[in-house]
Amino acid sequence: MLRLFNLILLIVGTFMCAAAPSAAKDVQIDGLRFGVNGETTRFVLDISNETEPGIFLLADPYRVVIDLPEANWHANSAVQTTGLVEGYRHGLFAPGVYRIVLDLKEAATVKTAFSLPPRGQYGHRFVLDLEPATRSNFLAAVQSSKNERPVVTSASVPDVTAPRKRIAGKRIVVIDPGHGGPDPGNLGAIGVYEKVVVLEIARAIRDELNRTGRYEVHMTRDRDIFHPVRERFRIARRHRADLFISVHADSIANSKVSGASVYNLSETASDKEAGRLAARENKSDVIAGVNLDEADDDVSSILIDLAQRETMNFSAQYANILVQELARDVPMLGRSHRFANLGVLKAPDVPSILLEAGYLTNKTNARFINSDSGRKKIAQAVRRATDRYFQQMVALGR
């Protein structure tokens, strides 16, 4: 079936990717503040030097996106919003692009945007004024701001149609730390964002697998940067991965709930909680200010659906093994092997699972997965499961 899938790829082709230009981190963001004057809401950014941000609007939900050159953030992220702005997020969206996303309480458009030179106690400032708008006016502004959106693509890696080149016969594993950049993920009981916790867990897993000498390990990100959901599994495909592991940490209103769980792809959620998680994780692109109208599938074919069924079987096999290995040393959630329609797991030719390492909303669980000892136990469980899984693949002649 995988040979058939490779033949399909040769016929229909795959997406193109180009390296994004990078910019030096010569912009320092030192502060921000919000103010209201009548119906106008003002957003002020204190920056180290004058710059011309890219500004565009996105609908459903209403958002204003501000893209700066790659920058260092030194501002207080706890500044309270007011007026038309409900909340904000920020982070490295792509090499060379630092993104700030303003979530709006209602439809609003940019009244004016300008830079101010240093004066008195203030240095360089960027000022953005927002005013209320009707939905139709907002949607018109979305269209007119399209040309301000940066063209952001990922760095080039080998074409998936090229012959697979292994390093001394090593299996290829891609580890995906969830969230990143302007998409922070959950903020748990210990005050550390999910994007930080899962990056450290992913690094521990990478190091544990590398120590065996049996695997070629890649990570979708090794710093605080954002990748769209589809780009994450595309990275795995371009590396021609044998296994894709996406690492996350869950959150729930009930702070008593704790424990790890493992998900693999299914169009039907295994339970209400799995459906809730899928709905939240699939909104990652919205949170980071991605224009969802431009999202597309790599390929579309009933034959690819057939290939994906085989991949889903292998994914479920690995997930089952991983649950067994985690249960030896890691606190587990009841019914810890689950199924959900998670966009990050939709590579049709790469067995893929999502590991929810634990619950950040449970203080004890959060401390465990954010500790050196907890990360080590999780990483060792992943290594044992990966060894067992590929031993079974060898027995099947794969």
Side-chain angles (χ1 to χ4, degrees):
M1 180 61 73
L2 290 178
R3 291 192 185 97
L4 172 61
F5 184 80
N6 289 332
L7 178 61
I8 297 167
L9 288 179
L10 287 171
I11 296 171
V12 301
T14 59
F15 58 89
M16 298 294 291
C17 65
S22 61
K25 288 188 179 181
D26 55 359
V27 177
Q28 310 294 319
I29 301 172
D30 299 314
L32 75 160
R33 52 195 174 276
F34 297 87
V36 175
N37 183 7
E39 290 191 326
T40 301
T41 297
R42 172 162 288 189
F43 170 64
V44 181
L45 203 61
D46 296 315
I47 53 179
S48 58
N49 49 277
E50 185 177 355
T51 186
E52 295 184 9
I55 304 170
F56 60 94
L57 283 70
L58 293 173
D60 303 325
Y62 299 127
R63 289 158 288 163
V64 177
V65 180
I66 304 166
D67 282 338
L68 298 157
E70 191 162 328
N72 288 314
W73 182 277
H74 299 296
N76 179 5
S77 294
V79 171
Q80 294 298 309
T81 61
T82 188
L84 296 164
V85 181
E86 184 171 35
Y88 64 96
R89 296 172 305 282
H90 61 90
L92 189 61
F93 181 74
V97 180
Y98 197 92
R99 174 162 291 185
I100 301 171
V101 181
L102 304 180
D103 296 313
L104 304 180
K105 295 178 181 177
E106 58 187 80
T109 52
V110 177
K111 182 179 181 180
T112 184
F114 55 94
S115 296
L116 289 174
R119 182 179 178 182
Q121 63 177 323
Y122 296 108
H124 288 280
R125 286 150 291 164
F126 169 71
V127 180
L128 181 78
D129 286 339
L130 299 171
E131 60 182 358
T134 64
R135 177 171 174 81
S136 59
N137 286 343
F138 182 89
L139 295 178
V142 169
Q143 292 301 312
S144 65
S145 69
K146 276 186 175 181
N147 60 351
E148 296 295 327
R149 297 172 188 165
V151 178
V152 179
T153 53
S154 60
S156 178
V157 290
D159 191 315
V160 294
T161 60
R164 185 184 308 219
K165 294 181 180 179
R166 296 186 179 278
I167 300 175
K170 293 181 179 180
R171 298 283 189 169
I172 300 170
V173 180
V174 172
I175 306 169
D176 171 47
H179 307 280
D183 171 22
N186 303 310
L187 179 61
I190 59 174
V192 182
Y193 277 113
E194 180 181 2
K195 67 177 182 178
V196 176
V197 174
V198 299
L199 179 56
E200 291 304 315
I201 294 173
R203 286 171 174 164
I205 294 172
R206 175 198 61 194
D207 295 344
E208 183 72 20
L209 292 177
N210 278 334
R211 272 192 288 270
T212 69
R214 292 187 289 273
Y215 304 105
E216 175 187 339
V217 186
H218 301 276
M219 292 176 63
T220 59
R221 67 178 182 95
D222 193 21
R223 58 174 174 157
D224 185 14
I225 190 170
F226 173 79
H227 288 304
V229 169
R230 291 180 181 276
E231 180 59 23
R232 294 173 184 272
F233 69 71
R234 286 170 175 167
I235 291 171
R237 295 188 62 221
R238 291 199 297 275
H239 282 297
R240 298 195 64 84
D242 297 295
L243 183 64
F244 176 79
I245 302 170
S246 190
V247 184
H248 292 252
D250 211 341
S251 174
I252 196 170
N254 184 354
S255 62
K256 295 181 180 180
V257 177
S258 67
S261 55
V262 181
Y263 287 78
N264 57 272
L265 182 66
S266 173
E267 295 302 317
T268 304
S270 54
D271 52 53
K272 186 180 296 185
E273 188 63 20
R276 176 199 62 81
L277 179 135
R280 190 189 71 228
E281 294 296 348
N282 291 342
K283 288 181 179 177
S284 179
D285 288 358
V286 173
I287 290 171
V290 174
N291 177 26
L292 300 183
D293 293 339
E294 296 174 359
D296 62 343
D297 293 324
D298 291 348
V299 282
S300 179
S301 166
I302 190 170
L303 295 178
I304 291 175
D305 289 341
L306 293 173
Q308 191 173 47
R309 291 179 191 176
E310 182 184 53
T311 301
M312 288 168 65
N313 289 336
F314 290 136
S315 300
Q317 184 176 343
Y318 179 77
N320 186 55
I321 295 171
L322 180 56
V323 165
Q324 295 173 22
E325 293 299 335
L326 286 167
R328 290 171 53 176
D329 301 303
V330 176
M332 300 297 288
L333 184 67
R335 297 180 62 199
S336 46
H337 184 183
R338 298 187 172 200
F339 306 86
N341 188 8
L342 291 155
V344 75
L345 302 182
K346 288 193 173 182
D349 52 342
V350 182
S352 306
I353 64 97
L354 186 144
L355 167 62
E356 289 286 354
Y359 280 80
L360 290 174
T361 40
N362 180 285
K363 189 171 289 186
T364 301
N365 205 188
R367 286 172 176 163
F368 173 81
I369 65 177
N370 197 43
S371 68
D372 289 339
S373 60
R375 288 191 291 264
K376 183 176 182 180
K377 289 177 180 179
I378 293 169
Q380 289 175 337
V382 171
R383 186 256 303 158
R384 293 192 302 266
T386 305
D387 287 346
R388 282 180 55 189
Y389 171 76
F390 285 120
Q391 288 169 4
Q392 292 184 11
M393 290 297 100
V394 170
L396 293 172
R398 295 181 176 273

